[in-house]
Amino acid sequence: MARTDSKKALVIVESPAKAKTILRYLGNGFEVKASMGHIRDLPERQLGVAIENGFEPTYQVLPGKKKIVSELKAAARRAERLYLATDLDREGEAIAWHLTQVLGLPEERVYRVIFNAITKSAIQQAFANPGKLDMYKVMAQQARRILDRIVGYQISPLLWKKVTRGLSAGRVQSVAVKMIVERERQIRQFVPEEYWLIPAILTADLQGNLKDEWAQVKGSQADPSEVNAWLAEHQAFRAELIRIDEKRFRASNQDQAMQVFEALSNATFTVAQVQAKESVSQPVAPFITSTLQQAAASRLGFSAKRTMTAAQQLYEGVELGSMGSLGLITYMRTDSTHVAPEAIQEVRRYIGAQIGQEYLPDEPNRHSTSNKSAQEAHEAIRPTDVDLTPPEIREFLTEDQYKLYDLIWRRFVASQMRPAIWNVTTVDIQVPTCIGTCWYRATGRTQVFDGYSRIWPIVSNDQPLPALQPGQRLAVVDICPQQHFTKPPARYTEATLIKALEKEGIGRPSTYATIISTIQERGYVEQRDKKFYATDLGEIVTDKLNQFFPRIMDIAFTRFMEEQLDKIEEQHIDWTSVLKEFYEPFKQSLQIALEQMRHAKAETTPSPYTCPRCGRPLVYRLGKNNRFLSCSGYPDCRFTSPCDKDGKMVEQSAPTEHICPVCGKPMILRRGRFGSFLGCSDYPNCKTTLKLDRQGNVLPVRPAPVPTGIRCYRCTEGQLVIRNSAKGQFLGCDRFPKCRTIISIKHLDQLKQLQANGQWPPATPQQAKALLSQQSRPALVGGPGQ
């Protein structure tokens, strides 16, 4: 697609990678520039919203973006037309609108182009049919931004005053923390209930004696597939006692279980009924943003942020050798399972030719979208070219890109394949005893046709059953009472938290990654073994917000506000009315909180311990982030002791000969997650620690980090410092561990020059990587999960 007139048309996108890919399809008549994300936003250190003047926002060019804006203005002046090719969602529409405001071009010269994929056909079609800005979409984004700014900038200072410095609140993040806190308390308050089961291993082989061999298999800790293979080989299977006569079997203690078990001793097991039926497993729908994040978390172990980073790269374009830079997937922020007809035709052709005609359904599969507001104009996340199979392009992709592309490709192909078919057999087994007729039941499932599971594997531990007939006798291989206890609700993982947020209508798929990152960075929750745990700080902040801002913390109200924000775009309701309806009661709650909220550090809760110095009760107090035990006689008695996550006192060792280098008090030997260390006896007032080697010798203190004056691009609040590691020096953020930014020391001079030129810090990690990679590779290394 080329232009013949002398003046070039200017195209503006968000990132250099996207610009490079698009330029391939436009020709010489176009100049493509990147805005590097947002160029304007509300001011960083003030509210920036005139609430009494119809919520009028004040926007400022972002720090470090003045040079980019100057370049864009110069390019716009020499261009005949301006095409805004930012992303197709609200955020992209808002970026496009801000560009029009800053560049100041007349409306007749400005066009909006949107495309779901960065492919030749999609780009050419978009530029052949340009449109105008969707101001309802812009206003919906603006309303959301102002609403979040009001909540964040008016509650956060309150938390600084009443809890501790550095905290923040968010309209959606605070509700997400509340969900984790509530789950934490459900687990803490859960009282396990005892119950007993009496499972049996039975076999149709009446000749052999399998008990000894089964005992070896049972004790070998073999995986379920190996156990099922052994059972199948010996015509054996598991069965569970379900009822006695017509009453459901229940045993809440050992005596009840043993009474039934003894009655079953030497009883006869006979097949009473065999039922077989066919079960059909329908193909999975192609990915939307939330299901992609969930699948990547459960199948790949990716964080939501890591998933969206890799997806962004796949969407914007990857260099594929002689093929050049290609966008490999459609837009990754979507809640629609709709697929373009031409894409369905292509994948059906691929399935028939490459997988087999028997896997191709007669008609295309249709997948319903659970979100009623999802738009048909938006597509599911799919590969832009199904013929680009993951193995074919693996050499050009990073490990994360390859794994995610493989997941997306498989899911899309599987979505248009035939169902998987299973034979499900249920066997009821009759056992006459002195306490009545005991009924056992066994269920087995075998796959008849793999269907879509050939591409999208289904994990199944279902046992196969041997061929059985009513009246057939069975031999007992093993039968044993088993004690069990009911389990508390499971802690949230990233996958289950995203699923819960989506179900409750909290936030939007495009915001889940940011929400999950923020609540961890603020110290409200922490991840251990990939599960979320609420911290003491998270519980305290949640309780205070629940008390004074019940509407904001209410899940139903948060969902209602999300729906109202959607209606600004979809039903064109007035955005200022939505904000006014929210703000009036919020303002009243804020005033009450300022007057009545007690400082968290002034509040205490009872503990089961007494002070070893004066005998008075110990109470829990809040330190900087966590609870500790303190004497209720403070300030007369200043005894303190650390406690663990469950509030249990941490036993303190006797003082050592080592003296704290900070406060001069004795150091105490303590144990932590990473082994023994020395901690100051004046903890939590002094948190100095010294590391020990394996022999218990004190390791030399690392030299203090050297400030560089360069701002951190990721958190924007800290600055980069020079740190030392076993592999040498590197640049890291001084807010570690809250911010885990890491950059090679090789870029120190380059970063100083970029900051002096007003180009650093950039708005996004992608922009930072692009800036650093302009002069050398490798460039940027993010923290864990980046």
Side-chain angles (χ1 to χ4, degrees):
M1 181 179 181
R3 295 173 53 84
T4 57
D5 49 351
S6 58
K7 277 195 171 185
K8 289 188 175 183
L10 175 63
V11 182
I12 301 180
V13 297
E14 296 100 317
S15 72
K18 189 175 177 182
K20 184 177 181 181
T21 309
I22 288 175
L23 188 58
R24 292 185 64 230
Y25 306 123
L26 293 181
N28 296 327
F30 291 85
E31 182 181 11
V32 184
K33 292 278 190 180
S35 69
M36 309 297 282
H38 279 277
I39 60 167
R40 284 203 318 176
D41 198 2
L42 298 171
E44 186 177 353
R45 302 193 180 278
Q46 51 185 288
L47 181 62
V49 179
I51 295 173
E52 305 303 327
N53 191 25
F55 299 94
E56 182 181 353
T58 298
Y59 292 110
Q60 294 180 354
V61 173
L62 289 168
K65 288 297 185 73
K66 292 182 179 179
K67 185 176 180 181
I68 293 173
V69 169
S70 297
E71 292 174 355
L72 293 177
K73 283 183 175 180
R77 281 194 297 268
R78 61 178 179 261
E80 181 189 26
R81 286 186 172 191
L82 170 62
Y83 291 94
L84 299 169
T86 49
D87 289 344
L88 54 83
D89 58 6
R90 288 177 190 160
E91 208 69 25
E93 204 76 17
I95 292 174
W97 177 73
H98 283 293
L99 284 166
T100 65
Q101 300 301 297
V102 171
L103 300 182
L105 291 181
E107 187 177 340
E108 62 270 14
R109 289 174 56 194
V110 179
Y111 295 88
R112 177 78 167 109
V113 288
I114 58 173
F115 35 82
N116 187 56
I118 305 178
T119 61
K120 185 175 183 178
S121 59
I123 298 299
Q124 290 183 345
Q125 184 178 354
F127 278 83
N129 300 280
K132 294 294 182 180
L133 281 171
D134 183 344
M135 290 308 299
Y136 292 108
K137 190 178 284 189
V138 173
M139 291 302 103
Q141 189 276 341
Q142 180 169 266
R144 183 182 298 274
R145 183 76 184 94
I146 292 173
L147 186 61
D148 290 343
R149 172 56 68 101
I150 289 172
V151 173
Y153 268 60
Q154 297 199 350
I155 296 184
S156 296
L158 177 70
L159 295 178
W160 283 47
K161 292 178 182 177
K162 303 294 186 178
V163 183
T164 189
R165 292 180 62 83
L167 299 184
S168 72
R171 183 180 59 87
V172 177
Q173 78 177 48
S174 297
V175 178
V177 174
K178 176 184 176 179
M179 293 169 66
I180 296 171
V181 167
E182 289 181 342
R183 179 63 57 88
E184 188 77 33
R185 289 173 175 172
Q186 289 170 3
I187 294 170
R188 197 179 296 154
Q189 296 165 6
F190 181 81
V191 179
E193 293 183 7
E194 181 183 9
Y195 70 97
W196 288 72
L197 300 176
I198 310 179
I201 302 295
L202 307 174
T203 179
D205 180 6
L206 302 181
Q207 303 303 319
N209 187 350
L210 303 176
K211 292 185 178 181
D212 292 340
E213 192 174 341
W214 167 250
Q216 292 180 353
V217 173
K218 186 179 178 181
S220 67
Q221 297 183 340
D223 64 54
S225 62
E226 293 175 330
V227 174
N228 283 344
W230 185 92
L231 292 172
E233 181 184 350
H234 296 85
Q235 301 183 66
F237 57 93
R238 305 179 198 84
E240 198 68 59
L241 177 60
I242 59 170
R243 70 179 194 272
I244 301 175
D245 291 330
E246 298 304 317
K247 188 177 180 180
R248 181 182 174 186
F249 169 67
R250 289 177 180 273
S252 58
N253 55 56
Q254 186 175 11
D255 291 341
Q256 293 174 354
M258 292 305 297
Q259 181 184 359
V260 177
F261 173 67
E262 290 168 1
L264 287 166
S265 300
N266 301 317
T268 301
F269 288 68
T270 307
V271 176
Q273 184 177 1
V274 179
Q275 290 183 316
K277 64 178 181 179
E278 185 177 89
S279 173
V280 177
S281 176
Q282 296 295 335
V284 288
F287 282 130
I288 58 176
T289 307
S290 57
T291 55
L292 174 63
Q293 292 172 344
Q294 292 168 45
S298 58
R299 294 194 174 218
L300 305 178
F302 283 13
S303 67
K305 188 174 183 179
R306 185 177 175 186
T307 298
M308 296 308 289
T309 298
Q312 183 88 31
Q313 294 163 356
L314 293 171
Y315 166 71
E316 291 184 342
V318 177
E319 285 288 343
L320 301 181
S322 60
M323 290 184 283
S325 180
L326 296 178
L328 294 177
I329 64 170
T330 53
Y331 192 55
M332 63 286 161
R333 294 185 180 92
T334 177
D335 53 6
S336 172
T337 56
H338 171 70
V339 176
E342 57 270 22
I344 291 179
Q345 291 176 7
E346 286 299 307
V347 72
R348 284 176 60 81
R349 174 194 54 76
Y350 180 90
I351 293 167
Q354 302 297 327
I355 303 176
Q357 284 292 332
E358 66 272 25
Y359 291 93
L360 183 65
D362 296 333
E363 298 291 333
N365 295 329
R366 305 294 180 188
H367 299 279
S368 60
T369 298
S370 58
N371 189 342
K372 296 178 181 178
S373 65
Q375 300 177 31
E376 285 288 294
H378 295 181
E379 279 197 73
I381 304 169
R382 61 168 177 84
T384 55
D385 184 351
V386 74
D387 289 317
L388 287 175
T389 63
E392 183 181 349
I393 60 174
R394 181 169 191 169
E395 64 178 298
F396 304 109
L397 305 180
T398 66
E399 193 66 20
D400 279 9
Q401 289 170 350
Y402 170 75
K403 288 180 178 179
L404 196 67
Y405 182 71
D406 182 68
L407 199 71
I408 294 168
W409 187 91
R410 288 180 178 277
R411 180 79 165 217
F412 176 59
V413 174
S415 73
Q416 287 299 322
M417 293 174 68
R418 284 189 180 275
I421 301 175
W422 306 77
N423 276 342
V424 179
T425 305
T426 302
V427 179
D428 286 334
I429 300 153
Q430 188 175 23
V431 191
T433 71
C434 60
I435 60 172
T437 301
C438 294
W439 291 90
Y440 272 78
R441 176 167 290 173
T443 302
R445 188 173 77 152
T446 55
Q447 194 172 66
V448 178
F449 176 63
D450 54 2
Y452 77 93
S453 69
R454 176 168 179 156
I455 296 296
W456 187 259
I458 300 172
V459 178
S460 174
N461 293 322
D462 295 300
Q463 64 177 346
L465 294 179
L468 300 171
Q469 299 295 328
Q472 183 175 352
R473 290 276 303 275
L474 300 171
V476 177
V477 178
D478 185 27
I479 185 169
C480 181
Q482 294 181 355
Q483 184 186 38
H484 295 270
F485 292 92
T486 55
K487 295 181 179 180
R491 282 190 165 85
Y492 287 114
T493 62
E494 284 215 8
T496 56
L497 180 59
I498 289 169
K499 188 174 183 179
L501 290 170
E502 182 183 34
K503 180 182 178 182
E504 296 291 352
I506 305 301
R508 286 294 175 260
S510 59
T511 65
Y512 294 156
T514 303
I515 292 168
I516 289 171
S517 295
T518 301
I519 62 178
Q520 293 178 83
E521 289 168 2
R522 297 302 182 191
Y524 297 142
V525 303
E526 60 186 17
Q527 267 191 315
R528 283 182 269 154
D529 300 324
K530 296 187 177 181
K531 297 175 183 177
F532 284 115
Y533 290 74
T535 63
D536 294 335
L537 184 63
E539 292 194 46
I540 289 168
V541 170
T542 296
D543 287 341
K544 290 197 172 294
L545 294 181
N546 259 335
Q547 180 182 357
F548 290 97
F549 301 93
R551 289 181 87 221
I552 287 180
M553 299 295 285
D554 180 63
I555 290 177
F557 178 73
T558 305
R559 179 170 54 247
F560 168 76
M561 288 306 302
E562 293 289 355
E563 292 167 354
Q564 291 297 100
L565 292 168
D566 288 342
K567 287 179 181 179
I568 297 171
E569 176 185 347
E570 296 158 8
Q571 300 180 20
H572 303 169
I573 65 173
D574 180 50
W575 67 276
T576 58
S577 298
V578 173
L579 294 180
K580 186 175 182 181
E581 183 181 354
F582 168 85
Y583 186 72
E584 290 304 322
F586 171 75
K587 182 180 178 181
Q588 296 175 12
S589 298
L590 185 66
Q591 187 60 40
I592 294 171
L594 285 167
E595 295 171 358
Q596 299 181 12
M597 186 183 288
R598 291 187 64 199
H599 199 291
K601 292 184 179 179
E603 297 177 331
T604 62
T605 54
S607 82
Y609 302 103
T610 55
C611 179
R613 291 181 185 172
C614 69
R616 282 179 278 201
L618 292 180
V619 293
Y620 294 111
R621 294 185 187 273
L622 177 67
K624 185 177 181 181
N625 291 310
N626 300 308
R627 291 186 303 169
F628 66 95
L629 286 163
S630 169
C631 182
S632 58
Y634 178 87
D636 296 332
C637 178
R638 295 177 175 268
F639 175 81
T640 62
S641 171
C643 59
D644 63 17
K645 297 293 181 184
D646 298 320
K648 296 179 182 177
M649 180 186 288
V650 176
E651 294 184 10
Q652 300 191 52
S653 303
T656 66
E657 71 275 13
H658 298 285
I659 301 299
C660 175
V662 175
C663 68
K665 294 184 179 178
M667 301 290 281
I668 290 177
L669 183 66
R670 300 186 188 277
R671 286 197 60 82
R673 285 192 302 166
F674 306 107
S676 298
F677 66 97
L678 293 178
C680 182
S681 58
D682 195 30
Y683 179 88
N685 296 320
C686 179
K687 297 183 178 180
T688 303
T689 60
L690 297 175
K691 292 184 178 180
L692 302 174
D693 62 17
R694 292 182 179 180
Q695 288 72 41
N697 301 313
V698 178
L699 292 170
V701 180
R702 285 185 180 178
V706 179
T708 65
I710 301 168
R711 289 179 60 193
C712 174
Y713 73 92
R714 193 178 301 277
C715 71
T716 71
E717 297 178 14
Q719 69 161 292
L720 299 179
V721 294
I722 301 174
R723 297 185 186 276
N724 292 277
S725 71
K727 295 182 179 180
Q729 292 184 322
F730 66 94
L731 297 175
C733 183
D734 64 0
R735 294 182 68 247
F736 178 87
K738 289 186 177 180
C739 178
R740 297 176 179 266
T741 299
I742 297 173
I743 301 177
S744 170
I745 192 70
K746 298 176 183 178
H747 294 290
L748 179 58
D749 293 336
Q750 181 186 357
L751 289 171
K752 289 181 178 179
Q753 186 62 46
L754 287 170
Q755 184 161 290
N757 294 340
Q759 295 177 269
W760 191 272
T764 67
Q766 291 78 15
Q767 294 168 16
K769 185 174 182 179
L771 282 171
L772 292 175
S773 63
Q774 288 173 4
Q775 296 188 20
S776 61
R777 295 177 183 272
L780 180 68
V781 180
Q786 303 305 318

